[in-house]
């Protein structure tokens, strides 16, 4: 694999998405592209219009003889997920240009969050790091690649909210939490391994590839390079305890409670008839939702 310096001196495609981060994705893409070009890189700007056209646009670029060696993604985790659908397994490196919305992967990798030029410098001269990629799906739908987490359950919208200092009235404003039956199957080894089956009631289940999602330490033990997915189950508890638990989680504090259990697996299946699933901001039908990990599947430029 070529060095980061060699990649930075060659061809970099910067992709933005008009619906990402209220237009900040395109502005970040333009700023980063100008910076990279001024630093000597050969830069091409791409602009997706819908998720499908974004994937098709990147695939078309990668089919050309002058394909880039880096796709720099000016967007959050949702756009990164789209880009992964096109570049996974191609040998093209991923660059991350945060926009201030859903930047959990960038935060986990130590990429500057509020400085497009500093983030572009990482794309230009950073080091290559191979990270795990999760693959989520609901048969017979197509699978979706992700780097952050999948949330399954009846209260997944609570987890998708970005962290903000919590107002005193937050607990009273929460909808009444409701636990629903779920069945979780965890496979930790080869295809011949016997899955561990958990039948319980839960508010939600998170299958995570990183520790903090939306500023919340939902999967505190998760690592991007261990070949495992971390599974956090927020189970049933009395309403008062549940509200305190969710308030602490939303405020960015790790939680310890008998209703909260942590697991690890290479592959996970979650059946939640009354729930929905969200992966990097995209909804999936969650009956059932499956996820498995591809170890070291994507090279990313990091500081």
């Amino acid at each position: 694999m070529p060095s980061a310096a060699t990649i930075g001196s060659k061809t970099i495609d910067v992709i933005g998405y008009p619906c990402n981060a209220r237009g900040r994705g395109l502005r970040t893409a333009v700023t980063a592209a100008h910076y990279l070009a001024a630093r000597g890189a050969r830069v091409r700007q791409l602009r997706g219009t819908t998720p499908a056209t974004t994937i098709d646009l990147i695939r078309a670029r990668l089919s050309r003889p002058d394909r880039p060696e880096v796709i720099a993604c000016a967007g959050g985790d949702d756009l990164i997920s789209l880009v992964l659908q096109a570049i996974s397994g191609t040998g093209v490196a991923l660059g991350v240009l945060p926009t201030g919305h859903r930047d959990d992967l960038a935060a986990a990798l130590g990429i500057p969050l509020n400085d497009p030029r500093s983030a572009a410098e990482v794309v230009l001269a950073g080091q290559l790091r191979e990270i795990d990629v999760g693959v989520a799906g609901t048969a017979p739908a197509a699978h979706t690649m992700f780097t952050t987490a999948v949330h399954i359950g009846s209260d997944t919208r609570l987890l998708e909210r970005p962290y903000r200092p919590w107002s005193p009235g937050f607990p009273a404003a929460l909808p009444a939490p409701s636990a629903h039956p779920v069945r979780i199957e965890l496979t930790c080894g080869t295809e011949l391994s016997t899955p561990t089956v958990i039948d319980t009631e839960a508010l939600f289940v998170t299958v995570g590839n990183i520790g903090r999602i939306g500023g919340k330490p939902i999967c505190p033990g998760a690592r991007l390079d261990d070949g495992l997915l971390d599974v956090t189950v927020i189970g049933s508890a009395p309403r008062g305890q549940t509200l305190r638990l969710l308030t602490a989680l939303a405020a960015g504090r790790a939680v310890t409670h008998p209703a909260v259990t942590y697991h690890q697996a290479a592959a996970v299946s979650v059946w939640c008839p009354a729930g929905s699933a969200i992966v990097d901001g995209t909804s999936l039908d969650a009956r059932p939702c499956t996820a498995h990990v591809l170890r070291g599947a994507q090279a990313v430029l990091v500081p």
Side-chain angles (χ1 to χ4, degrees), residues 29 51 55 58 67 76 86 98-99 103 120 125 133 143 145-146 156 172 176 188 201 229 247 253 257-258 293 300:
I55 295 172
I58 298 172
R67 77 179 201 165
T99 59
D103 292 325
V133 174
H143 288 172
M145 292 183 174
F146 67 94
T156 53
C188 296
E201 289 192 346
L229 296 169
T247 301
R253 300 193 298 271
H257 190 279
V293 66
V300 186

Side-chain angles (χ1 to χ4, degrees), residues 18-282:
C19 297
N20 184 266
R22 299 180 179 179
R24 290 194 300 273
L26 289 183
R27 294 194 295 273
T28 299
V30 170
T31 299
H34 287 171
Y35 177 88
L36 292 166
R39 293 275 279 117
R42 290 181 292 186
V43 181
R44 183 188 296 263
Q45 294 187 54
L46 307 177
R47 178 180 298 187
T49 54
T50 67
T53 59
T54 298
I55 295 172
D56 290 343
L57 179 64
I58 298 172
R59 285 176 174 163
R61 278 290 294 136
L62 298 188
S63 69
R64 294 167 56 96
D66 62 341
R67 77 179 201 165
E69 293 181 81
V70 179
I71 293 286
C73 179
D77 301 313
D78 46 354
L79 183 57
I80 291 172
S81 179
L82 291 178
V83 171
L84 284 175
Q85 316 307 314
I87 72 173
S88 180
T90 65
V92 173
L94 174 69
V96 180
L97 301 168
T99 59
H101 180 70
R102 297 188 191 279
D103 292 325
D104 292 330
L105 178 63
L109 294 173
I111 295 171
L113 298 181
N114 300 305
D115 187 343
R117 291 177 179 83
S118 294
E121 183 63 26
V122 174
V123 173
L124 186 71
Q127 301 298 312
L128 285 172
R129 176 182 174 186
E130 292 183 346
I131 65 169
D132 299 342
V133 174
V135 183
T138 53
H143 288 172
T144 299
M145 292 183 174
F146 67 94
T147 57
T148 58
V150 185
H151 306 302
I152 307 111
S154 58
D155 291 296
T156 53
R157 286 179 297 178
L158 294 172
L159 301 178
E160 284 294 296
R161 296 174 182 172
Y163 167 68
R164 295 185 180 92
W166 227 246
S167 64
F170 167 70
L174 265 179
S178 55
H180 294 279
V182 297
R183 165 167 283 208
I184 305 166
E185 294 186 2
L186 308 172
T187 304
C188 296
T190 66
E191 294 181 357
L192 299 178
S193 302
T194 301
T196 299
V197 178
I198 302 171
D199 286 303
T200 186
E201 289 192 346
L203 298 174
F204 53 79
V205 178
T206 294
V207 181
N209 194 36
I210 62 174
R212 300 184 74 91
I213 302 107
K216 310 170 186 67
I218 300 173
C219 298
R223 292 170 47 196
L224 276 164
D225 56 4
D226 61 356
L228 294 170
L229 296 169
D230 280 49
V231 182
T232 299
V233 182
I234 306 294
S236 179
R239 175 179 169 81
Q241 295 182 31
T242 298
L243 292 178
R244 288 192 293 273
L245 185 157
L246 294 178
T247 301
L249 190 63
R253 300 193 298 271
V255 295
T256 302
H257 190 279
V260 182
T261 58
Y262 301 100
H263 314 271
Q264 286 186 319
V268 184
S269 177
V270 181
W271 178 270
C272 181
S276 60
I278 299 175
V279 53
D280 286 338
T282 301

